[in-house]
Amino acid sequence: MAEKSFKYVIVGGGVAAGYAAREFDRQGVKPGELAIISKEAVAPYERPALSKAYLYPEGTARLPGFHVCVGSGGDRLLPEWYTEKGIELILSTEIVKADLGSKNLISAAGDTYRFQVLIIATGSTVIRLTDFGVQGADSKNIFYLREISDADKLVEVIKAKQNGKAVIVGGGYIGLELSAAMKINNIDVTMVYPEPWCMPRLFTAGIASFYEGYYAHKGIKIIKGTVAVGFTADSNGEVKEVKLKDGRVLEADIVVVGVGGRPLTTIFKGQMVEEKGGIKTDAFFKTSLPDVYAVGDVATFPMKMYNDLRRVEHVDHARKSAEQAVKAIKASEEGKTIDEYDYLPYFYSRAFDLSWQFYGDNVGESVLFGDTDPNTTKAKFGSYWVKNGKVIGAFLEGGSPDENKALAKIAKVQPAVESLDQLSKDGISFACKI
């Protein structure tokens, strides 16, 4: 079996790996020093495209169009970029064993990769209904969306089942974005989720009622307060029905499940300190082991703004944490210091002609503002979250670039608020004045 040695190894080939590679290049990494090991067959790309334009019938996104770092306005790192820089891209290679003490990684094929410094950027894996033994959950045409290979299968089935019926299980990011993409493809869509409203980890009831009304207006059926407990298949093994806990049975040609993810840390278990489901790091993404760093979804890190430890699953944090880790690695080699990671939580989504952004923390009292009528032609509304008399979180649908910048600023500055009623009346103008 082959054995290769590198000064730096990034395990995982998603968004974080691509942004880390760009930062290594900026920091002057030498040819042959860095390798990225990815179980995917393609160079790092901007994962959010998979639940959006990748599935659209027109204006479709395809590689090489959304390789990193195009998602944050940077240059696209095509596969040849890595070759030119002397960065080894080891694709279609899954690491199945890690001995961090002896600095060895072993692939499914039995090859060994030795490192001096490791960045763990393995991201998340989707939670599957088969994990819970849901009857019929292994039927054909039940999909999960995480990687480009998943999206390719979904594109094929959308073409094969034109004008068919889709059931989307889950009411979070994947549920909302996939429902929109399916509807744009003229598929009949039903969303099913157990919570009282969609996107419950972020949305308030007031925010959610707009999106649920908007989706209903688009012809998407929404069933709340129940879950899928079984599936039946036809003679070809393809899904044909979704059984719900409340007794209803839905016809389905396609099922997409989006019920969350888990950090992919299995091969590192017991070798490092873990907390809140992730690998515990400091403000430079150093783990409890020397020369081992963890970034993106897998890292539980100190959130300086709120003085607590958090794990964040979002592309923005994947990009920024990767860059921070590389800067920290290079600074430590040179005996220099860098600033601690000071992250402002940021989430966004786009579906149909809607686009929202959120900054900060969604705790405290929520204050809704603007027009939340789902039949509005160009929706514009938002919410502030106020705790201890200060604005600590802000959400805006339909904002301009300047308004979204103002949103970020107030979540960072946390201005004082005297009257919640006045805040609701002022709306976005409150943020723009700060």
Side-chain angles (χ1 to χ4, degrees), residues 10 21 53 89 203 217 294 368:
I10 301 167
L89 265 185
F203 290 179
H217 188 66
L368 203 58

Side-chain angles (χ1 to χ4, degrees), residues 256-277:
V256 184
V257 181
V259 291
R262 289 193 189 99
L264 207 46
T265 58
T266 321
I267 59 167
F268 309 109
K269 286 279 177 207
Q271 300 185 65
M272 286 170 292
V273 176
E274 291 190 39
E275 196 155 334
K276 296 187 176 179

Side-chain angles (χ1 to χ4, degrees), residues 212-228:
E212 290 174 351
Y214 187 98
Y215 274 50
H217 188 66
K218 290 282 187 186
I220 292 169
K221 294 178 278 300
I222 295 174
I223 299 173
K224 300 187 265 191
T226 190
V227 292

